[in-house]
Amino acid sequence: MSFFTLLILSIGLSVDSFAASLGCGFSRQNVHRKRIFLLAFSLAIFQAIMPVIGWAAGSQVKNLIEQFDHWIALVLLTAIGAKMIIESIKKKNKPESCACDLSFREIITLSIGTSIDALIVGFSFAFLKINIIYASMIIGVTTFIFALAGIFIGKRAGRLLGEKTEIIGGIVLILIGLKIFLEHQFGINFF
């Protein structure tokens, strides 16, 4: 997987963290900078660790399903992307209530909740020729940047971006799943 593809995938995975940070920024205008950085760091750490855990689990069953790995990557990434799009549409139809107090407990809960998709992506990494440490570092750094940006944008911009970011992230994940499938199935190399 090229650096560019990995970066795009990282951006797609970071969208949940961005959206959560954006919501916290909307609802908490007077958040101390320490809490902002703690939230961004926690989101990044969980987002970086989950793919490693998924990769380790996927590596255990790799030999059993190696012939179908590209199908698995396509299905998993499409499912995650579709889930993100559907959840975003559901949120649009309901008024959002974010009582984000940025307590330690809430930060950990947000971090786990936004990184579950990265666990599944990590599982699909086991079937690709990928350096998991390198990939997880890119995912973590990208998430940290997106989480910081989300809080600061949320504090300044209001609720304009929140709904659309998850749809865009979902589309990106679906497209990356399709790219992996086409590369393995037909030998097409996009980038």
Side-chain angles (χ1 to χ4, degrees), residues 21-91:
S21 298
L22 198 62
C24 289
F26 290 144
S27 66
R28 297 286 299 188
Q29 296 299 312
N30 299 321
V31 179
H32 193 273
R33 285 193 188 269
K34 253 187 185 175
R35 284 287 174 187
I36 290 171
F37 281 98
L38 180 61
L39 174 63
F41 182 74
S42 180
L43 290 168
I45 289 296
F46 275 84
Q47 200 74 275
I49 290 172
M50 289 298 207
V52 175
I53 295 169
W55 174 83
S59 295
Q60 299 301 315
V61 296
K62 180 180 180 179
N63 292 334
L64 300 174
I65 52 178
E66 202 163 23
Q67 295 175 345
F68 308 102
D69 59 357
H70 52 285
W71 284 98
I72 293 169
L74 173 67
V75 169
L76 290 176
L77 291 172
T78 300
I80 295 166
K83 178 180 148 270
M84 288 171 67
I85 293 168
I86 291 167
E87 286 177 359
S88 179
I89 291 169
K90 285 180 182 176
K91 285 180 194 172

Side-chain angles (χ1 to χ4, degrees), residues 82-125:
K83 178 180 148 270
M84 288 171 67
I85 293 168
I86 291 167
E87 286 177 359
S88 179
I89 291 169
K90 285 180 182 176
K91 285 180 194 172
K92 192 189 313 186
N93 295 332
K94 286 191 244 178
E96 191 153 334
S97 60
C98 179
C100 189
D101 63 6
L102 291 182
S103 66
F104 184 73
R105 181 178 172 193
E106 184 172 75
I107 288 172
I108 296 299
T109 302
L110 278 172
S111 299
I112 292 170
T114 59
S115 64
I116 297 300
D117 296 348
L119 178 75
I120 297 166
V121 169
F123 186 84
S124 69
F125 280 174

Side-chain angles (χ1 to χ4, degrees), residues 98-176:
C98 179
C100 189
D101 63 6
L102 291 182
S103 66
F104 184 73
R105 181 178 172 193
E106 184 172 75
I107 288 172
I108 296 299
T109 302
L110 278 172
S111 299
I112 292 170
T114 59
S115 64
I116 297 300
D117 296 348
L119 178 75
I120 297 166
V121 169
F123 186 84
S124 69
F125 280 174
F127 307 103
L128 306 172
K129 290 181 173 111
I130 194 163
N131 180 333
I132 190 62
I133 301 302
Y134 176 70
S136 106
M137 287 173 51
I138 291 173
I139 291 167
V141 169
T142 304
T143 301
F144 183 77
I145 293 167
F146 270 65
L148 280 180
I151 291 174
F152 289 117
I153 290 170
K155 288 176 73 168
R156 290 187 174 83
R159 296 188 182 268
L160 297 176
L161 296 174
E163 298 166 355
K164 294 180 177 107
T165 57
E166 279 193 90
I167 292 174
I168 293 166
I171 291 169
V172 165
L173 291 178
I174 291 169
L175 291 175
I176 288 175

Side-chain angles (χ1 to χ4, degrees), residues 3-20:
F3 171 78
F4 182 71
T5 302
L6 194 51
L7 182 62
I8 297 296
L9 177 67
S10 298
I11 291 169
L13 287 173
S14 296
V15 169
D16 279 348
S17 296
F18 177 77

